Amino acid sequence: MLASFLLVAFAALAANAHSVMQQVHIDGKAQGALKGIRVPKSNSPVTIAQLNGNDVICNAVRTPLPSDVLAVKGGSKVGLEWHRTIGKLSSDVISKSHRAPIQVYLAKVDSAKKADVSGLKWFKVAEQGYKASTDTWATDDLIKNKGIFEFTMPSCIEAGEYIMRTDLIALHNADKPSGAQLYIGCSQINVSGTSGSANPSTVSFPGAYKATDPGIKFNVYKDFSSYTIPGPQTFSCSGNSAGSNADAAATTTTKASTKTTTKASTKTKSTESATAKAQSFVKTDSKCRAKRGHA
Ligand SMILES: *[C@@H]1O[C@H](CO)[C@@H](O)[C@H](O)[C@H]1NC(C)=O
């Protein structure tokens, strides 16, 4: 009796820690809850054990697929809005303990309503990881921005239909066998008004991430001086991979060569913040770490 009660309580707690991308914004205009989005069957993450399976492409999604294709102009601001509970655009974004980078990829398709997403060729258009100068993760900004991650749609890519894939890789168990948790959301878009000459290099899902990547297997509880976002370089129309979509406020970004963000040289500050970090981890992450067996 008690055991089953605990199990239920445990499951409820675990579900509360998750998050799903549930609304697209274009130039500040909300497109409607779940509109144009391939909604996952649940808010649970794709696990490291599933890294080489097809769920790492667009997650396991509800059918029928949406009939909407969202119109996006090249150069416009696109916002991807995350919340814990599917269909509930509340102030609940994601647990602060789920420190994570956030990335956005595009794959050109003949029809954005195409059901089969296997074999697509993806290029990254946005990423944000760890900002050493402020000791914050993309998810810290996400919570501050009411769940919205914003980036600029490249203006030089081919016009037409794309699957837009975002992922948020929660690292709170990334040093454990259960591993990092991938929250993945795909949406259906139609890009227009671009110059259409760029030819970004692409990667495949599954394939772009390995369980041993330094940005996938990572210990957020130890002091660290840098974090390497997994996957390819971010495509940018200027040809500079550290474009405006990249981790903006980093003081010393050596993205072009090493794709890592180096911690500011103020050693004292870094030690202090490490201590503060360790303390806040004990407080905020005890529940999360206790249930690390949960996917
Ligand atoms: C995509 O946009 C182009 C240009 O506006 C339009 O002609 C086309 O019908 C659109 N396709 C879809 C599926 O919305």
Side-chain angles (χ1 to χ4, degrees):
M1 188 79 160
L2 179 64
S4 66
F5 167 77
L6 284 176
L7 208 66
V8 169
F10 189 85
L13 200 85
N16 276 340
H18 299 168
S19 198
V20 166
M21 197 282 283
Q22 328 204 6
Q23 178 159 246
V24 177
H25 297 245
I26 300 166
D27 280 332
K29 189 175 185 302
Q31 300 297 300
L34 307 182
K35 195 162 177 208
I37 293 171
R38 299 191 173 194
V39 183
K41 287 180 178 162
S42 83
N43 67 355
S44 292
V46 172
T47 66
I48 286 305
Q50 298 167 297
L51 200 58
N52 297 319
N54 279 346
D55 285 357
V56 85
I57 309 172
C58 280
N59 211 332
V61 297
R62 289 179 186 172
T63 49
L65 295 175
S67 52
D68 311 289
V69 177
L70 305 173
V72 183
K73 287 210 168 64
S76 60
K77 290 270 181 222
V78 177
L80 303 179
E81 183 178 347
W82 296 76
H83 295 282
R84 283 184 212 228
T85 310
I86 296 176
K88 235 180 153 180
L89 306 187
S90 67
S91 58
D92 245 354
V93 174
I94 191 169
S95 166
K96 199 164 164 46
S97 70
H98 287 33
R99 292 162 179 82
I102 297 175
Q103 308 182 58
V104 184
Y105 294 82
L106 297 178
K108 186 81 182 65
V109 285
D110 292 336
S111 167
K113 296 188 214 174
K114 168 189 190 3
D116 182 10
V117 287
S118 64
L120 298 180
K121 299 295 176 200
W122 300 91
F123 57 97
K124 191 193 287 186
V125 291
E127 66 175 18
Q128 191 186 341
Y130 173 71
K131 213 175 282 174
S133 56
T134 50
D135 189 27
T136 52
W137 290 86
T139 39
D140 293 313
D141 282 349
L142 189 73
I143 292 167
K144 213 184 294 169
N145 297 336
K146 299 182 162 64
I148 301 173
F149 177 86
E150 201 173 58
F151 70 98
T152 303
M153 182 58 62
S155 54
C156 60
I157 59 173
E158 199 183 334
E161 298 179 50
Y162 289 84
I163 304 289
M164 177 164 62
R165 174 193 181 279
T166 185
D167 66 38
L168 180 162
I169 305 175
L171 299 170
H172 55 293
N173 285 334
D175 59 327
K176 306 288 183 304
S178 58
Q181 301 182 344
L182 291 90
Y183 295 90
I184 299 166
C186 285
S187 43
Q188 307 175 165
I189 65 168
N190 183 26
V191 177
S192 65
T194 59
S195 59
S197 55
N199 187 21
S201 62
T202 58
V203 295
S204 298
F205 284 105
Y209 299 160
K210 301 260 180 301
T212 50
D213 285 349
I216 301 271
K217 188 165 172 49
F218 187 80
N219 188 339
V220 286
Y221 304 104
K222 276 195 179 154
D223 193 19
F224 49 86
S225 57
S226 68
Y227 170 77
T228 306
I229 298 173
Q233 297 280 322
T234 302
F235 171 75
S236 144
C237 294
S238 67
N240 171 11
S241 61
S244 60
N245 291 331
D247 187 4
T251 42
T252 49
T253 311
T254 51
K255 190 137 289 246
S257 48
T258 60
K259 233 165 68 67
T260 58
T261 307
T262 314
K263 202 164 221 168
S265 58
T266 48
K267 205 66 206 151
T268 332
K269 188 208 157 264
S270 119
T271 311
E272 278 167 12
S273 74
T275 312
K277 193 162 52 181
Q279 284 163 352
S280 79
F281 279 177
V282 170
K283 254 185 269 156
T284 61
D285 291 341
S286 54
K287 277 180 192 158
C288 239
R289 283 169 76 76
K291 57 176 205 276
R292 71 174 71 118
H294 171 81

